[in-house]
Amino acid sequence: MSRVDRRAIVYIALLSLAGAYFLAWPIWRAQFLIEIWPTESWNAYWQDTAAAWRPIYPGPDSLAGNNYPPLSFYAIGALGKLLGMDNLFVGRALSLLALAALALEVFLSVRILALGRLGATVAALWYVAMMARNSTIYIGANDPQLAGLAIMGAALVYFLRLCQQKRSPVPALLLMVVAGFWKHNIIGVPLTALCWLFISSNREAVRATFVSGLVTVAGLLACVAVFGPNFVPDLLAPRQYSWSNVLTNAGHLQWSALALLIWAAWAIFDHRSTPARFTALHISIGLLACIVQWLGHGIFGNAEFDLIFAVAIGLGVTFNRMESSYVARMIGPDRCRDAMVLALLLRLILTDRQETALLLLSPEFRESLYASEHNVLNEAKIVAAIPGDVACTIKLVCRQAGKSFVVDEFRTDEMVATGKLAPADIPALLSAKHISVHPKTQPTGPEQDTSFSRWWRRRT
């Protein structure tokens, strides 16, 4: 076995172990009837509504709102009926499948841009480990973001292949439109594709932009025709915007900062190549899209997904074209690749938040999820006995109790933040609509401390 083969085996083995290690926690957690993240039950309510063919976009007088496009609700609602499963768990399973699809799309994108299989494999495995480590509230959770990005990622692979073959990119752009009707904030890939057509002087640039824009408008008009006049106002629900929201989220970029620096250190010296130019465009737009979305209140880690996907592709290209970098010329490309993989692994592992380690070592940590599930079921029994409509702080409790979705706290909070309502108006509205309030009284999610050092100190 050659030295190159031995290195490849080590890279793949270490990154595979890291991915499996970080995935253990969200996969194990996904089996429990708990609320991993507040949007989980929010999505499940609309999935239930879509499956029952009831209106999914409420009127302006409703305290519940839906600012997501329709495709994910109908698709998961249909899958739930077909499989005879709770939509909450269908959505969780779909997010895990979407992660696997995205890893494959990273692999294929790198292969198209920079050929080498090893770099493509390293990038795909790092992407899985990174997402499982960095985005635990979305991996194995009922949220449409990952599945929407997987559709968009498939469209990107298709787009790159069509461009490589000098064929019309319109079919790939139309698939991106479909992804936008699954989740509307996945804008990094389509903006990159359109900009690349013009930058690369593609003869189809104007036609492809016009056709995809026309289909998008037609899709929106079709939604208005199908879902009625509430569709557009719900999609454009009021939201508070501020630079302080960006500052609140900006610290999260630390997770991808190292990978971004590794890519940049290569791209500077290979900036004339097509892979460097494309990844520079993709990463720049992904970062810009992330920051722009973070201006809005209540937008968190999912705004970063475009960027992480772009950085993963950039890492794979960097690995395959390492010989072009200045550092590789100084110490050799093999040592440079060794350092790259080691640095990426250390960045993932060397942190105090260690859910998987606690899952393996702490009986109390494991028992906390069983306790939270028990609490959800007990609270649901209490809420089921309350007559009429109930607004639960934990929506999973109300859903489990068979109560309708009548209050969306995000909607009411944003109406207050944007001045459309005064804080005192909310209790008055609840009273006028005869809606009881059931507060959170005990843990109903994965709320155990995830600090390994604190657990170790308590243990000793």
Side-chain angles (χ1 to χ4, degrees):
M1 183 183 295
S2 69
R3 184 181 299 178
V4 173
D5 290 338
R6 287 196 296 271
R7 273 191 159 93
I9 290 171
V10 171
Y11 298 154
I12 293 170
L14 290 176
L15 286 166
S16 296
L17 285 171
Y21 173 79
F22 292 120
L23 274 174
W25 162 243
I27 289 174
W28 186 79
R29 180 193 60 190
Q31 67 183 298
F32 291 93
L33 186 66
I34 57 173
E35 190 164 83
I36 296 170
W37 188 244
T39 58
E40 272 213 302
S41 300
W42 184 92
N43 281 298
Y45 262 121
W46 293 122
Q47 291 154 5
D48 297 343
T49 304
W53 296 103
R54 297 194 303 270
I56 63 171
Y57 293 100
D61 60 335
S62 174
L63 294 180
N66 179 7
N67 62 336
Y68 282 14
L71 278 187
S72 69
F73 303 124
Y74 286 97
I76 294 175
L79 276 173
K81 290 179 76 171
L82 180 66
L83 300 172
M85 287 176 59
D86 185 338
N87 292 325
L88 180 76
F89 294 100
V90 173
R92 289 178 179 181
L94 190 60
S95 79
L96 293 169
L97 291 173
L99 179 63
L102 282 160
L104 177 61
E105 290 154 10
V106 168
F107 176 89
L108 294 173
S109 297
V110 175
R111 289 278 289 148
I112 294 169
L113 289 167
L115 298 179
R117 290 186 179 181
L118 182 55
T121 304
V122 165
L125 292 174
W126 175 82
Y127 181 77
V128 170
M130 174 67 171
M131 290 296 290
R133 183 75 183 94
N134 177 61
S135 306
T136 53
I137 59 174
Y138 293 95
I139 304 299
N142 182 28
D143 186 275
Q145 191 77 31
L146 281 172
L149 184 57
I151 299 170
M152 198 69 83
L156 177 63
V157 173
Y158 192 19
F159 172 82
L160 291 172
R161 181 63 71 191
L162 290 173
C163 289
Q164 185 185 58
Q165 297 172 348
K166 301 189 183 307
R167 294 165 56 196
S168 171
V170 169
L173 293 177
L174 295 183
L175 184 55
M176 292 179 195
V177 173
V178 172
F181 281 93
W182 186 284
K183 189 67 167 62
H184 58 314
N185 69 332
I186 310 170
I187 58 177
V189 170
L191 287 178
T192 299
L194 292 174
C195 289
W196 183 250
L197 289 177
F198 286 96
I199 290 171
S200 61
S201 301
N202 190 298
R203 60 186 176 83
E204 289 276 343
V206 174
R207 175 176 171 271
T209 302
F210 176 77
V211 171
S212 56
L214 187 66
V215 171
T216 301
V217 172
L220 291 171
L221 292 175
C223 285
V224 173
V226 171
F227 302 113
N230 296 327
F231 173 74
V232 174
D234 270 29
L235 211 62
L236 301 176
R239 189 188 293 269
Q240 180 258 346
Y241 292 89
S242 169
W243 279 107
S244 63
N245 298 326
V246 177
L247 296 175
T248 300
N249 285 295
H252 212 243
L253 291 173
Q254 63 174 300
W255 288 101
S256 50
L258 175 63
L260 190 59
L261 287 173
I262 291 171
W263 164 81
W266 158 76
I268 289 171
F269 295 97
D270 199 14
H271 64 277
R272 294 183 185 276
S273 70
T274 296
R277 291 169 60 225
F278 181 84
T279 54
L281 179 66
H282 192 191
I283 290 170
S284 298
I285 290 177
L287 179 59
L288 179 63
C290 175
I291 293 171
V292 169
Q293 289 182 63
W294 275 344
L295 285 167
H297 179 254
I299 298 175
F300 301 106
N302 58 340
E304 197 182 355
F305 286 3
D306 276 334
L307 174 62
I308 298 172
F309 183 64
V311 169
I313 294 171
L315 276 180
V317 172
T318 300
F319 190 97
N320 281 343
R321 297 178 62 88
M322 187 64 77
E323 289 81 359
S324 304
S325 78
Y326 176 77
V327 178
R329 294 172 198 165
M330 298 292 292
I331 66 172
D334 287 342
R335 289 182 180 177
C336 214
R337 291 185 178 104
D338 292 345
M340 172 182 169
V341 172
L342 179 61
L344 291 172
L345 284 168
L346 289 176
R347 179 63 193 94
L348 290 169
I349 294 167
L350 296 182
T351 176
D352 191 41
R353 180 169 63 84
Q354 293 288 345
E355 295 97 331
T356 299
L358 293 172
L359 180 63
L360 295 171
L361 299 173
S362 171
E364 295 81 11
F365 189 80
R366 294 192 296 272
E367 285 299 323
S368 68
L369 291 196
Y370 289 100
S372 288
E373 183 175 62
H374 181 74
N375 293 340
V376 167
L377 295 172
N378 280 347
E379 291 290 300
K381 290 178 183 177
I382 294 170
V383 170
I386 299 173
D389 290 330
V390 181
C392 294
T393 302
I394 304 300
K395 293 180 182 65
L396 180 60
V397 169
C398 267
R399 181 171 177 266
Q400 187 66 21
K403 296 293 184 179
S404 300
F405 182 31
V406 291
V407 178
D408 181 353
E409 289 79 7
F410 177 77
R411 180 184 177 97
T412 56
D413 288 350
E414 293 303 316
M415 292 177 76
V416 170
T418 55
K420 294 185 181 297
L421 289 176
D425 292 337
I426 305 301
L429 284 170
L430 294 176
S431 178
K433 292 176 178 287
H434 307 289
I435 299 173
S436 305
V437 176
H438 184 77
K440 178 178 177 177
T441 59
Q442 49 192 334
T444 51
E447 299 169 35
Q448 189 81 351
D449 187 359
T450 59
S451 167
F452 188 82
S453 62
R454 283 195 291 269
W455 171 78
W456 184 262
R457 285 196 297 271
R458 288 194 301 269
R459 181 176 176 274
T460 56

